[in-house]
Amino acid sequence: MLAIPRIVIEKGPQGGVGQLAASHLAMVSLYQRADLEISERLAAAESLEAVAVGTTLPEVSLGYYRSLADASLFYELVTPEVLGWLRKAHKIESSDQLTQIGLSLQIAEVARALGEREIAVRYYGEFLATAVPTDQRYETAKMRMQELEVTQ
């Protein structure tokens, strides 16, 4: 299962095929490597960044960073690295508006959990400015932003 993506990466790491292979291998490392500790899984996936991230397939790059962040959150690890990965994904600017809006909220939530008030307020504001008011998360985001603004 790991051999094919590794061969693709070794033969031609640049370009879309290499990005896809590295992104796939990162997912395998994050969720299917029971032989590794969680920190080792994250390190293995993170070591693929140079190949998984590129300009050929920006959505794959975005997905790679989201995968790192989502896996960390799945394993209940809320760290500054998670915030960094989410911000890198957000900076790529997904062509899917819902993905981009979701990233804004995810960044705000992680920043809030880490005590990064200014970052949280910025991204809650971005979420509220772009999400429709009927979004189920809208009122919660609005309330959390107001709470953070009060604690200035």
Side-chain angles (χ1 to χ4, degrees):
M1 175 169 35
L2 298 176
I4 293 173
R6 285 195 192 284
I7 291 168
V8 170
I9 292 167
E10 290 168 6
K11 294 264 184 208
Q14 301 304 318
V17 175
Q19 275 187 269
L20 287 168
S23 183
H24 173 76
L25 187 56
M27 292 295 286
V28 170
S29 297
L30 291 168
Y31 295 107
Q32 296 181 353
R33 292 291 310 271
D35 59 313
L36 298 176
E37 296 293 322
I38 294 169
S39 61
E40 294 172 314
R41 293 177 191 191
L42 289 166
E46 194 173 12
S47 73
L48 297 165
E49 182 176 22
V51 180
V53 175
T55 57
T56 306
L57 299 172
E59 295 291 334
V60 172
S61 300
L62 186 148
Y64 166 77
Y65 286 127
R66 281 190 74 187
S67 295
L68 287 170
D70 289 346
S72 294
L73 296 172
F74 175 79
Y75 294 123
E76 300 180 3
L77 300 172
V78 180
T79 65
E81 290 79 15
V82 174
L83 184 59
W85 294 324
L86 290 171
R87 292 181 83 181
K88 285 179 181 181
H90 186 272
K91 188 176 180 179
I92 293 168
E93 296 185 5
S94 176
S95 59
D96 178 3
Q97 186 179 12
L98 293 177
T99 297
Q100 197 67 14
I101 291 169
L103 280 167
S104 295
L105 182 59
Q106 215 174 0
I107 291 167
E109 291 287 304
V110 170
R112 180 175 162 268
L114 292 172
E116 296 285 349
R117 192 191 63 73
E118 289 178 16
I119 295 170
V121 167
R122 174 182 169 201
Y123 285 96
Y124 278 131
E126 187 174 303
F127 172 79
L128 293 169
T130 53
V132 293
T134 56
D135 187 313
Q136 295 178 353
R137 306 165 296 178
Y138 191 89
E139 289 302 318
T140 301
K142 186 176 173 181
M143 178 190 68
R144 289 187 174 157
M145 183 169 158
Q146 289 169 345
E147 287 171 356
L148 288 167
E149 288 176 331
V150 168
T151 61
Q152 284 187 20

